[in-house]
Every structure is written in structure tokens, then in C-alpha cells.
């Protein structure tokens, strides 16, 4: 696998984790990301294996982050917020603003 594709897979796995942990549900994360629940579960399993730590406690009524998962959730939430802000400011027609990194344009 080409190295740049590996990063894309890592980003997709982090997004699946962030969504599942934030929503407390693999099924709802799948709906949000337009993926099946098994695809979310697979992404989470691969992420946990690559990091060597469980990130979510799964239960019949949902999931919740482990202590390691809570740390990763805070950081991925901040990362995706900043990435979204950067992409919004880079889009054609976006106004140059002096907003703080990660701030969303209200227009």
C-alpha cells in the first residue's frame, strides 16, 4: 500500500472513532458517515489494534470511551474542528478573516 493511502485510512479510522465515541453509538456513527455499522466496527478494531489499546467500551445500548479513548476523542475533536475551519477558509469564495484557527464562518 502506498504510504499516502495509509494516512487516508488512518484519518478514516480516526473519523469513525470520533463519531462513534462522540455519539455513543456505532450505528449512529455509521449513519452520520454513510457507512455500515460493521464497517465502523472494523475501522475501530483496526485503530485499536494499531494503537495497542482499547478505545471504546461496547455495550448493547451503545459505547463509551475508555480513559485512553477519552484522551483521543478530545484530540480528534479538536483536530477535525481545525481541519474543517481550514478547509472552509481555503474554499473558493471564502472571505479572508482573522478568526482563530478552527473557528467556523457563520455565513
Amino acid at each position: 500500500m502506498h504510504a499516502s493511502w495509509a494516512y487516508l485510512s488512518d484519518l478514516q479510522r480516526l473519523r469513525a472513532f470520533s463519531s462513534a465515541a462522540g455519539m455513543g453509538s456505532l450505528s449512529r456513527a455509521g449513519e452520520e458517515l454513510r457507512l455500515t455499522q460493521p464497517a465502523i466496527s472494523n475501522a475501530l478494531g483496526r485503530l485499536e489494534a494499531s494503537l495497542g489499546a482499547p478505545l471504546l467500551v461496547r455495550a448493547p445500548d451503545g459505547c463509551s470511551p475508555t480513559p485512553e479513548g477519552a484522551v483521543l476523542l478530545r484530540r480528534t475533536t479538536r483536530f477535525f474542528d481545525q481541519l474543517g475551519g481550514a478547509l472552509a477558509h481555503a474554499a473558493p469564495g471564502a472571505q479572508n478573516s482573522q478568526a482563530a484557527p478552527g473557528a467556523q464562518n457563520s455565513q
Side-chain angles (χ1 to χ4, degrees), residues 27-106:
S27 296
R28 286 194 308 241
E31 291 171 8
E32 177 184 60
L33 300 176
R34 297 183 181 161
L35 296 170
T36 64
Q37 182 275 329
I40 297 293
S41 183
N42 182 281
L44 294 172
R46 288 177 178 258
L47 181 61
E48 290 173 325
S50 72
L51 296 176
L55 301 172
L56 294 175
V57 175
R58 293 155 178 87
D61 61 341
C63 62
S64 58
T66 62
E68 295 86 357
V71 170
L72 186 60
L73 178 59
R74 284 192 302 273
R75 292 180 179 190
T76 57
T77 299
R78 186 174 31 217
F79 169 77
F80 285 115
D81 286 348
Q82 289 177 346
L83 180 59
L87 292 173
H89 287 289
Q95 294 180 336
N96 285 335
S97 74
Q98 300 300 319
Q104 298 294 320
N105 190 346
S106 61

